[in-house]
Amino acid sequence: TVSQVIERSVGLATFFLSIAFLLAYAVAQGIVAPLQKLKEAAVSLSAGDYSVRTQLTSRDETRDLAETFNRMSGEIERRVE
């Protein structure tokens, strides 16, 4: 009947939306976690810990940013000490 088709469609839509939400959450965590580590390192650097370095293993712009941060941190450490 029509109500069974609607009920089944709603169930499938709910299932697939749940899967999409979980995948989006996992992707977001993959982006946010490295940036959080970089932020923590920047806070340490601004507090005077010039030896702080980041250890990011991603293969994207985040790693490039971390490598630049490490060079900057090393240069500051070299100039201050």
Side-chain angles (χ1 to χ4, degrees), residues 19-57:
I19 296 297
F21 175 77
L22 291 173
L23 288 173
Y25 181 78
V27 168
Q29 288 300 337
I31 294 169
V32 170
L35 292 177
Q36 182 65 30
K37 288 181 182 180
L38 192 55
K39 177 193 161 252
E40 291 168 3
V43 168
S44 294
L45 181 66
S46 70
D49 181 5
Y50 304 120
S51 66
V52 67
R53 302 294 186 272
T54 59
Q55 300 295 324
L56 299 182
T57 58

